[in-house]
Amino acid sequence: MLMNNHRGRKKACRFCADASVEIDYKNQKLLQYYVSERAKILPGRTTGTCAFHQRELALAIKRARQISILSYTTPES
């Protein structure tokens, strides 16, 4: 039986590393990076965001959706 030990370097939280980057529900360009093609919020283990900032990010995405800056779903083709 082969053991797969893919222990790569852990991704650093972008918001912890650079204090000048703020999470704001009005910043569509920033929030779009943390939402999948299917309009789902990406988990912290995928994006490398720490738990504290992941909670803030999720709240900002939900607020942006409520005022129609981001969509809840993908547009139908």
Side-chain angles (χ1 to χ4, degrees), residues 2 4 7-8 13 15 25 37 39 41-42 50 52 56-57 63 66 69 72 76:
L2 292 173
N4 246 348
R7 290 254 169 150
C13 177
F15 305 105
Y25 69 93
E37 291 176 0
I41 300 172
L42 293 173
C50 70
F52 175 77
E56 281 191 356
L57 201 57
R63 283 182 179 164
Q66 231 173 358
I69 294 174
Y72 283 98
E76 290 186 33

Side-chain angles (χ1 to χ4, degrees), residues 31-37 39-42 61 65 70:
L31 297 178
Q32 201 72 47
Y33 178 77
Y34 295 96
V35 177
S36 72
E37 291 176 0
K40 293 181 178 182
I41 300 172
L42 293 173
I61 291 169
R65 283 176 174 167
L70 292 176

